[in-house]
Amino acid sequence: MNAMNPITTPALALDRLGKTFRGVAALDDVSFTVPKGALTVVLGAAGAGKTTLLRAIAGLERPDAGAIHIGDKDAAGREPRDRDVAMIFDNLALYPDKTGFDNIANPLRIRGMEKGVIEAAVKDIAARLKIAHILNRKPKTMSGGERQRVALGRALVRTPALFLLDEPLSSLDAQLRIELRAELRRLQRSLGYTFLMATPDFAEAMAIADTVIMLRAGKVVQIADPQTLYDEPADREVARFVGAPEINLVPAEIGPGGGVRLAGGLLPLPEKFLPLLAPEARAIEVGIRPEDLALAPVEGAALSGVVTDIEPLGASVAISVEAGGVEFRLVVPVAATASITPGLAVGLSVETGRMHAFDPQTGVRLA
């Protein structure tokens, strides 16, 4: 990499990073940047390489190839303590014999900061995290959420160039996880911190990220803002990973005269599918999000089938419909399901302009 302009230098820049364990690539040609003051999320399933990536950036794993720049400094050969990063793990690793105050203050004491400065910094971050009332208690007397806040406070009390968060909320219950991720986002924005956070939870990524880096088998497969990742997935697997209920994937065919044949029905050809027209019929795989399907009268419906399952989701209901040998899942408001029962014949309407076309062999999105 060439010398970086300090005005435009990102907080983090990775260039073709690679790491192999026993012949298996954990990281494969990974390149991306993280802007200063941004919250960037690395999203991927278990085993995708997320933790290895963060450990390599922190200096806890030595990469086999590639370069890491933190700010304008090359991290090669630098010890973890010299990289100006703070890493937050899910396992918390609080000192059990220290109070909440002492746990948070510990990194500042290691740096030899004055007592008054330490006290002010700890009280400030405790107030922001709403844990001032537990500063004099030890971890064993705290709830899981309180311990998590203390661990976050211990990291956030510093002002490093970069925070690395490895699934920091995964051990918490759903409600607390939602509450804490909102607090994390608020703190990150108000303090201008730079976060690189790893998670397998697409909803978490969608809720808080400025940019999402989709990692699969050690490779970066897409970098996009959350909405683009959802609306324009790079391939079939990204489309499946991002969204719940999962996207409907259906074998289909584009006729030479236009129209999309699938599940025994014929749908009008969306404008974005026009480049896929060919002199002969072309096989594709169509992706339809559950929210882009709706119930319709059987007569005149684009697709028709039979209700096989009904799953209440609170304000909405997920309905499974078997049509033409394919099971579709759609999400509809509760009010629209009063007379819907398993075995009922129904029609389906499709928001064709929001359909995706994937290559049946490679899975790459074609349109």
Side-chain angles (χ1 to χ4, degrees):
M1 276 191 173
N2 298 324
M4 296 185 179
N5 182 339
I7 298 176
T8 58
T9 299
L12 172 70
L14 304 186
D15 184 28
R16 308 197 69 179
L17 205 65
K19 177 67 179 179
T20 301
F21 293 105
R22 299 187 183 123
V24 177
L27 298 175
D28 188 355
D29 204 29
V30 172
S31 299
F32 63 82
T33 61
V34 175
K36 291 177 180 175
L39 198 164
T40 301
V41 171
V42 180
L43 177 65
K50 303 185 299 296
T51 295
T52 300
L53 175 63
L54 295 194
R55 287 176 59 83
I57 295 166
L60 302 175
E61 294 282 0
R62 186 183 297 275
D64 302 323
I68 302 171
H69 280 80
I70 299 172
D72 59 357
K73 296 182 175 63
D74 188 341
R78 289 178 178 268
E79 293 297 318
R81 65 177 178 273
D82 300 323
R83 295 198 177 200
D84 198 21
V85 300
M87 192 160 182
I88 305 172
F89 297 93
D90 176 45
N91 63 9
L92 305 183
L94 295 178
Y95 296 105
D97 59 336
K98 294 181 183 290
T99 63
F101 183 98
D102 290 333
N103 266 283
I104 296 172
N106 191 64
L108 304 183
R109 287 173 175 157
I110 290 174
R111 284 162 179 74
M113 296 177 68
E114 295 181 0
K115 182 178 179 180
V117 174
I118 293 173
E119 185 169 341
V122 172
K123 287 184 176 179
D124 177 64
I125 199 64
R128 291 177 183 272
L129 287 169
K130 302 173 186 174
I131 52 172
H133 62 292
I134 62 169
L135 289 180
N136 294 323
R137 289 163 47 189
K138 292 184 178 179
K140 66 181 180 181
T141 69
M142 302 175 189
S143 69
E146 289 170 340
R147 288 195 296 272
Q148 192 74 24
R149 282 183 167 88
V150 171
L152 292 172
R154 185 176 60 187
L156 297 172
V157 76
R158 293 176 51 199
T159 54
L162 177 66
F163 289 91
L164 304 173
L165 299 89
D166 189 13
E167 301 186 29
L169 310 177
S170 62
S171 66
L172 303 178
D173 63 66
Q175 189 58 43
L176 188 54
R177 196 160 61 240
I178 291 170
E179 181 183 328
L180 263 181
R181 79 186 184 202
E183 286 188 22
L184 266 180
R185 182 54 162 156
R186 176 178 53 79
L187 281 169
Q188 181 269 330
R189 282 178 170 162
S190 65
L191 298 174
Y193 288 156
T194 305
F195 280 10
L196 180 64
M197 176 173 166
T199 180
D201 184 342
F202 84 88
E204 194 164 84
M206 294 287 288
I208 66 174
D210 295 312
T211 300
V212 179
I213 298 165
M214 190 75 204
L215 196 66
R216 185 194 308 140
K219 288 179 177 287
V220 173
V221 294
Q222 187 169 3
I223 300 176
D225 66 85
Q227 198 59 51
T228 299
L229 189 77
Y230 188 82
D231 292 337
E232 302 173 20
D235 59 28
R236 175 174 56 211
E237 293 309 311
V238 173
R240 291 179 63 184
F241 196 87
V242 180
E246 192 175 289
I247 191 170
N248 298 286
L249 294 169
V250 188
E253 181 182 274
I254 298 177
V260 181
R261 292 193 176 277
L262 58 82
L266 179 64
L267 302 177
L269 189 74
E271 184 177 349
K272 66 180 181 179
F273 282 26
L274 287 174
L276 304 180
L277 272 173
E280 297 181 356
R282 178 174 183 176
I284 60 170
E285 189 170 35
V286 166
I288 307 172
R289 295 283 184 193
E291 64 270 23
D292 295 328
L293 288 167
L295 296 173
V298 174
E299 187 176 349
L303 302 171
S304 59
V306 176
V307 174
T308 58
D309 188 47
I310 300 172
E311 181 185 350
L313 301 175
S316 60
V317 176
I319 298 176
S320 298
V321 175
E322 192 278 324
V326 176
E327 183 169 89
F328 292 88
R329 294 198 81 196
L330 60 153
V331 177
V332 298
V334 170
T337 64
S339 60
I340 304 300
T341 58
L344 181 69
V346 295
L348 295 176
S349 64
V350 184
E351 188 67 48
T352 55
R354 290 185 53 80
M355 295 194 310
H356 300 293
F358 300 103
D359 185 290
Q361 277 73 48
T362 66
V364 171
R365 185 171 62 88
L366 304 172

